[in-house]
Amino acid sequence: MKVLVLNCGSSSLKYQLIDSESERVLAKGLCERIGIDGRLTHRPAGKEQVVLEKNMPNHTVAVSLVLEHLIAPDCGVIRDLSEIGAIGHRIVHGGEKFAKSTLITSDVIREIEKCSDLAPLHNPANLIGVRACRQLMPQVPMAAVFDTAFHQTMPKRAYLYGIPHEYYEKYGIRRYGFHGTSHSFVSKRAAQMLGKKPEEVNIIVCHLGNGSSICAVKQGKSIDTSMGLTPLEGLPMGTRSGSLDPAIISFLAEKEGLTLEEVMNILNKKSGMAGMSGVSSDFRDLDDAASGGNVLADEALEVFCYDIAKYIGAYMVAMGGADAIAFTAGVGENDTKVRARVCGFLEGIGIHINKVLNSATKGIEMDLATEDSVCRVLVVPTNEELAIARETVALVEA
Ligand code: ADP
């Protein structure tokens, strides 16, 4: 079956058309600046890339432009839209309602709308994509795959915050966690690399990208994760602060004469690695700056790696030990210096890597741990689109 995987943001739309039997990507691309002007970048496998500047007043126009390109004689990869057997949508927040992926019905759309309070920037945008597809291809089955669903197995002790219980009851304020599709995919693959079933192993997945989160996957189930009610909690990220003393918010507002919204904007968009270093949110720039003697860039990287190591220590306790630590996403797969620095903090608890092998490993599967290491250290490339396609096919075929 050919599955169209869509990830809709407020002004963008990423897509991949995947053949589920061969798991090959037939085409992928991106619509940007939807509602502003519009640009499509379409990459068909084995054919020339197409970049088209064209007005996209809304997501329905963007989706129909994507569909046109998928069947176009010159840059298309299928003959007819009827070849698309299903559509998988990435949905950010499923609240407590969705503990797994689901086929999309009118009821499901209403339930996803109810979760919009918890992800006001993401869920409405995701739903715009769902509605656009319904309008253009009403006969094609669609699945919703949630970033939060994998973490619904967390026990209360991991998801309750230390605030009055009524706020959990009234507003659903609790830890939800994100990147679930990636944590699930990577932990399963890590188990395979160890020659075990997911139920037989404990894995700590470090998804380190622009956004970063860590997950304790005990016997195949998420039991704790670093992101919280929103993706702002946990590690310092590209531009997000990660966890901090909540009193900093009112302190900053008062000292700098800022509104709550302005402070939150700083914490989401001007903090993290970019804010600490004053250099960039991009780890390649940070590595270059640190190598060139930039002290703040080096300190930012030190904070990032130290925090990762602390989560690893905490999750070892949470799971009663780990069989493997798995590094994934842009930084986890490629930034050899970050991996080396994190693992430097872990030597005291018996975790050791082959440093030469680590330096040579980028974007491929590898076990970096030395033989005497108490736990494996894996690099496992993530593939969220493929994971969404697999979930979608499983739901449609059931
Ligand atoms: P997103 O959260 O946007 O999906 P990615 O998982 O693509 O992010 O990760 C993006 C990050 O990965 C960027 O900070 C980028 O600098 C980093 N990255 C990509 N390749 C490398 C590399 N070779 N070395 C160091 N960092 C890298």
Side-chain angles (χ1 to χ4, degrees), residues 48-345:
E48 242 356 60
Q49 162 176 314
V50 178
V51 180
L52 175 74
E53 310 271 343
K54 185 160 180 185
N55 198 27
M56 299 177 202
N58 56 54
H59 285 71
T60 310
V61 175
V63 175
S64 64
L65 209 60
V66 169
L67 298 177
E68 260 174 46
H69 280 74
L70 289 174
I71 56 169
D74 50 343
C75 64
V77 291
I78 50 176
R79 265 193 226 122
D80 193 279
L81 289 182
S82 64
E83 289 183 45
I84 299 177
I87 303 174
H89 291 270
R90 176 189 179 212
I91 308 286
V92 168
H93 219 305
E96 289 187 327
K97 177 75 193 175
F98 297 103
K100 48 186 183 286
S101 307
T102 180
L103 284 174
I104 296 178
T105 61
S106 300
D107 280 348
V108 167
I109 292 178
R110 271 193 292 280
E111 288 298 332
I112 296 173
E113 263 167 357
K114 284 190 201 158
C115 303
S116 286
D117 249 9
L118 297 167
L121 296 179
H122 294 106
N123 273 26
N126 301 158
L127 280 176
I128 289 172
V130 171
R131 292 203 174 93
C133 289
R134 267 200 150 185
Q135 196 182 328
L136 294 166
M137 300 198 286
Q139 73 294 348
V140 180
M142 301 199 288
V145 181
F146 301 91
D147 271 20
T148 51
F150 183 60
H151 303 297
Q152 279 298 302
T153 46
M154 280 189 291
K156 270 194 173 164
R157 63 170 180 251
Y159 73 69
L160 288 179
Y161 288 119
I163 57 174
H165 194 71
E166 63 177 293
Y167 300 134
Y168 167 59
E169 285 170 3
K170 270 209 279 203
Y171 309 116
I173 296 179
R174 50 160 281 181
R175 174 182 315 288
Y176 289 96
F178 298 86
H179 292 140
T181 311
S182 177
H183 288 302
S184 166
F185 179 88
V186 170
S187 58
K188 286 192 181 78
R189 183 66 201 140
Q192 272 180 346
M193 287 168 72
L194 301 179
K196 299 270 177 71
K197 296 198 179 106
E199 312 82 73
E200 294 169 342
V201 285
N202 297 343
I203 314 273
I204 297 172
V205 181
C206 304
H207 178 110
L208 313 176
N210 241 327
S212 295
S213 72
I214 307 201
C215 183
V217 187
K218 187 178 167 79
Q219 297 162 353
K221 291 188 173 142
S222 168
I223 62 148
D224 207 345
T225 190
S226 59
M227 281 179 168
L229 174 75
T230 75
L232 186 56
E233 195 183 349
L235 298 168
M237 310 179 207
T239 64
R240 294 183 207 135
S241 64
S243 297
L244 36 75
D245 179 345
I248 292 171
I249 294 171
S250 59
F251 188 90
L252 249 186
E254 199 184 308
K255 293 287 182 196
E256 294 273 310
L258 300 171
T259 63
L260 190 56
E261 200 187 347
E262 287 166 334
V263 176
M264 292 316 291
N265 192 49
I266 291 172
L267 297 184
N268 272 300
K269 305 224 168 101
K270 297 187 175 153
S271 298
M273 305 307 285
M276 281 191 289
S277 67
V279 170
S280 168
S281 62
D282 191 299
F283 279 73
R284 284 164 291 204
D285 301 339
L286 292 162
D287 288 336
D288 289 347
S291 304
N294 186 308
V295 175
L296 293 186
D298 191 58
E299 272 171 13
L301 288 162
E302 182 80 354
V303 170
F304 182 70
C305 296
Y306 174 66
D307 273 5
I308 294 169
K310 280 205 294 189
Y311 272 107
I312 289 172
Y315 290 169
M316 291 237 162
V317 172
M319 295 196 291
D323 298 280
I325 297 162
F327 286 99
T328 194
V331 177
E333 292 165 29
N334 299 298
D335 196 323
T336 60
K337 291 181 182 160
V338 162
R339 285 198 309 251
R341 213 157 174 169
V342 171
C343 293
F345 287 113

Side-chain angles (χ1 to χ4, degrees), residues 1-19:
M1 183 189 299
K2 294 184 178 87
V3 185
L4 181 62
V5 175
L6 287 186
N7 181 355
C8 266
S10 56
S11 68
S12 71
L13 182 166
K14 288 187 206 149
Y15 63 93
Q16 285 195 7
L17 184 68
I18 297 176
D19 178 65

